[in-house]
Amino acid sequence: MLGVTNLPTYLAGLVLIVLLPGPNSLYVLSVAARRGIRAGYTAAAGVFLGDAVLMTLSAAGVASLLQGNAVLFGIVKYAGAGYLSWLAIGMLRAAWGLWRTRRERTVADELTAGAAASAADERPFRRAVVISLLNPKAILFFVAFFVQFVDPAYAYPALSFVVLGAFAQLASFLYLSVLIFSGTRLAGAFRRRKRLSAGATSAAGALFLGFAVKLSLASA
């Protein structure tokens, strides 16, 4: 189909990959829990745009450029790691504030994803796009994964990438929708239980810090 081979195998692998936790999905869950369904889908739209750009760059050959240029790869890699670390520090600071205070606060006040910005100042769409784009390994991943399912004899391989990317975006939309509606349910529990909110914020910050370390240690 349009140069795509072994589509069932691709879909099975895609489901497993989408279910793996990453900074994008964790951020969307965080936004939905703090600000509701509409803001959650705003962040998800940023993820879709960022992934679409990476898929397009992958098909256009930027992956080969990053793989062959250690300096360029390093710049993008450390910029991404630094941004994720900045988000992680903001979450950990918010969690520390929750542990120290005794008065109830809403999760929208505490589960902030910025270093010092309030939820009102947050721009979920823009932040999600940045998180997506500052990950050079994602470009390499799209090429390495997609190319396995492209028929080398097909005359229009770019079209095959489009088909594979469309399936990937659909799977991402379904998965993020589940996270968004789950996040709004979690928000009620966070508002009632300060310890639960602090624990979730700490866990999110630790995960983002882990993502930053993993990205900084990645090689082209």
Side-chain angles (χ1 to χ4, degrees), residues 141-155:
F141 164 77
F142 283 131
V143 167
F145 184 59
F146 283 8
V147 75
Q148 303 174 60
F149 304 97
V150 175
D151 184 357
Y154 188 64

Side-chain angles (χ1 to χ4, degrees), residues 41-134:
Y41 274 110
T42 299
V47 172
F48 301 148
L49 176 60
D51 286 349
V53 170
L54 294 182
M55 291 176 192
T56 302
L57 292 176
S58 300
V62 173
S64 299
L65 177 62
L66 286 177
Q67 205 164 18
N69 191 323
V71 175
L72 178 59
F73 182 88
I75 291 174
V76 179
K77 178 179 71 172
Y78 288 116
Y83 188 72
L84 291 177
S85 298
W86 180 67
L87 294 178
I89 292 172
M91 291 180 177
L92 293 174
R93 289 179 60 187
W96 177 247
L98 265 176
W99 286 115
R100 294 186 62 181
T101 185
R102 293 183 177 277
R103 64 189 180 86
E104 286 294 325
R105 292 182 179 178
T106 65
V107 69
D109 294 326
E110 300 301 341
L111 233 178
T112 180
S118 66
D121 297 327
E122 187 179 2
R123 299 292 185 270
F125 178 82
R126 182 175 61 187
R127 185 158 292 175
V129 170
V130 173
I131 292 174
S132 296
L133 294 180
L134 289 180

